Amino acid sequence: MAGQAGRGQRPSLTGTRIRERRTALGLRQSDLAGDVGISASYLNLIEHNKRRIGGKLLLDLARALKVEPARLTEGMDATLSDMLLAAARETARTFGPAAETARIDELAGRFPGWTGLIAEQQKRIAALEAAVEGLQDRLGHDPVLAGSMHEVLSTVAAIRSTSDILVREPDLEANWRGRFHRNLHEEAERLSASATALLAHFEGQGSRKEALSTPLELVEAAFEVAGYHFPAIEAGGTEAIAGLLAEMPGLEEEAARALAARHLARYAADAARLPLAPFLEAAAAADYAPGALVGLAGGDVALLLRRLATLPRGGAQAVPDFGLAICDASGALVYRRRINAFSIPRYGSGCPLWPLYRALARPMVPDQALLEMPGGMRFQAWAVAQPIGPSGFGAAPVSEATMLLRALPEEADEAGEVALAVGPGCELCPRTDCAARRVESSFT
């Protein structure tokens, strides 16, 4: 079946990543082994993926290699990987061999700075291409531009006609020559005013920053800096929102502030319904499993999924790193909290096989699935589609779907559960035999 994958297909690359990181740092195998208290021969088995590791040994290796444990178990951030794949696919080759897309993890491990630079350049190129397409569309359909250009061309034609008369008729009477000179002056003023108005129209349509970053991206960046958790709202509710908006970086644009305010208002409402202290205690006792916590949310599954994605990390409780994606009824992503190794696209929609979209077909019915990404990482996913706000009598409700993601460790045993083979979206997914793949999408 195109949408499924067996357990045996999942690769274990933790050892490979440990070896790449050790080599990048210039450490000898014996030195690293001694630092974490194991033999060099055992480390050699680990680096050749012949021994699974976890727990304290993984933490010790991550400390010695000066890297987050997730970078060793899950590899590079999936969004970063997708940006590099897009750069390899979309950049025209003018010299040199083709990009070694199978060695992206190695590139990120050895040269993280250059990897980030390539990804940032690809993001900028994509944004500039989108801006150019928007300008091309405006050039063809903007009524203000069409009217201004007509005014400019008409004025230029009048100036040229008057100038031609003055050049071809040197013996004009003084009063007629004065009239033509006055006409030239008036037409020149009209031309200057039209050009100034045209320039003001384009300058008023958006800055360079707006062209390169959408309000959704600006809000996402600000929320990511805050860790998607806002203690001020947990303590003070909606009254804290104004202060947070004033302090958040990158929210100078009105559209970005309005979007952030809307998300923070929902955060405040969720926090009021599920106060942090008792909810965190109950979630920890249930190992953060949504199925065991539905009763706390009064059956509001979307509330529960959102609340789990906002729990604070790094405290006494070992809160998992959750990812969250929310889409409207059209499938467009309206909110996302990225999680390492699971790519949620910036534009458009994600993989058609995600439970996020499956839930839209069955409103109010919670869904759960085990997902496997092309790189082998597995995730537990919970999803539900629910109405947002009252609809009124005789009116169809406006719905949105919510999906919570939790990465599973490589050694996790899902009791024989068959994983659903998914991807980041058809544009970047290497699963060419997937039945849900869009025909126009191609991966090279």
Side-chain angles (χ1 to χ4, degrees):
M1 183 175 178
Q4 293 181 344
R7 174 72 173 174
Q9 293 177 310
R10 186 183 185 190
S12 177
L13 300 176
T14 301
T16 302
R17 298 183 189 111
I18 291 173
R19 183 174 67 252
E20 290 171 353
R21 181 63 178 171
R22 176 180 61 78
T23 304
L25 294 176
L27 295 176
R28 293 186 302 176
Q29 201 173 58
S30 57
D31 293 337
L32 178 59
D35 194 15
V36 298
I38 60 176
S39 66
S41 59
Y42 188 67
L43 178 59
N44 184 63
L45 291 174
I46 292 174
E47 290 189 349
H48 285 82
N49 300 308
K50 294 182 179 179
R51 293 291 186 275
R52 290 183 179 271
I53 64 167
K56 183 178 183 300
L57 178 55
L58 175 63
L59 295 177
D60 289 343
L61 283 168
R63 173 190 52 77
L65 294 171
K66 301 176 183 178
V67 69
E68 289 292 327
R71 286 289 301 274
L72 299 178
T73 58
E74 303 170 9
M76 65 188 299
D77 186 280
T79 301
L80 179 60
S81 175
D82 288 344
M83 294 297 288
L84 295 179
L85 286 172
R89 186 187 72 240
E90 298 173 5
T91 303
R93 300 297 305 178
T94 56
F95 61 89
E100 298 87 350
T101 55
R103 303 179 67 182
I104 287 180
D105 258 357
E106 181 181 349
L107 173 67
R110 290 179 179 270
F111 307 105
W114 282 106
T115 302
L117 177 62
I118 294 171
E120 284 296 328
Q121 288 180 335
Q122 174 59 26
K123 177 181 176 181
R124 177 174 172 78
I125 289 170
L128 287 172
E129 288 176 344
V132 170
E133 289 179 2
L135 288 173
Q136 288 175 336
D137 184 67
R138 287 180 59 195
L139 288 173
H141 301 94
D142 192 331
V144 175
L145 174 61
S148 297
M149 289 304 298
H150 176 74
E151 180 74 16
V152 168
L153 292 175
S154 298
T155 306
V156 169
I159 291 174
R160 180 176 180 178
S161 176
T162 303
S163 300
D164 186 63
I165 293 174
L166 290 172
V167 170
R168 292 178 182 275
E169 301 293 339
D171 298 330
L172 280 175
E173 296 181 6
N175 59 336
W176 281 104
R177 185 174 295 276
R179 291 180 184 179
F180 284 125
H181 282 159
R182 185 170 60 252
N183 289 342
L184 277 176
H185 176 71
E186 292 174 353
E187 295 296 344
E189 285 188 334
R190 282 181 57 196
L191 179 61
S192 176
S194 299
T196 302
L198 183 60
L199 179 61
H201 172 66
F202 275 99
E203 287 181 340
Q205 292 300 311
S207 65
R208 176 177 174 270
K209 182 177 180 181
E210 287 177 316
L212 301 181
S213 296
T214 65
L216 184 60
E217 288 179 293
L218 295 173
V219 172
E220 178 187 320
F223 277 41
E224 191 165 354
V225 169
Y228 295 88
H229 179 72
F230 301 96
I233 292 181
E234 300 286 354
T238 56
E239 295 181 358
I241 293 178
L244 283 173
L245 290 175
E247 298 172 358
M248 279 186 173
L251 298 184
E252 292 79 13
E253 305 298 334
E254 181 60 32
R257 283 198 303 274
L259 183 60
R262 190 165 65 196
H263 287 319
L264 291 176
R266 169 179 270 189
Y267 185 108
D270 290 348
R273 295 177 63 187
L274 283 178
L276 178 61
F279 179 66
L280 180 57
E281 181 180 355
D287 192 26
Y288 305 95
L293 300 169
V294 173
L296 293 178
D300 190 337
V301 179
L303 165 66
L304 174 64
L305 301 184
R306 293 193 303 267
R307 202 71 179 110
L308 283 169
T310 61
L311 291 178
R313 300 193 68 207
Q317 304 285 3
V319 178
D321 186 15
F322 286 112
L324 189 72
I326 301 176
C327 74
D328 61 21
S330 73
L333 292 165
V334 297
Y335 184 88
R336 66 175 194 168
R337 176 179 179 173
R338 298 186 305 118
I339 182 174
N340 194 41
F342 194 103
S343 179
I344 304 174
R346 294 167 59 227
Y347 305 116
S349 57
C351 175
L353 299 176
W354 287 356
L356 177 71
Y357 302 116
R358 194 165 65 189
L360 288 170
R362 299 189 300 168
M364 303 300 296
V365 180
D367 197 1
Q368 180 178 348
L370 176 65
L371 309 181
E372 183 174 296
M373 295 296 283
M377 278 298 301
R378 290 192 170 198
F379 297 83
Q380 196 67 51
W382 300 267
V384 70
Q386 294 179 190
I388 49 174
S391 58
F393 293 103
V398 177
S399 299
E400 69 176 17
T402 304
M403 179 174 70
L404 183 75
L405 296 161
R406 180 178 180 178
L408 296 176
E410 290 186 350
E411 63 272 13
D413 183 10
E414 291 85 35
E417 183 180 356
V418 177
L420 186 66
V422 300
C426 294
E427 288 298 325
L428 294 171
C429 184
R431 302 187 191 275
T432 56
D433 59 344
C434 177
R437 191 179 188 85
R438 289 192 294 274
V439 176
E440 67 272 16
S441 301
S442 61
F443 183 91
T444 56

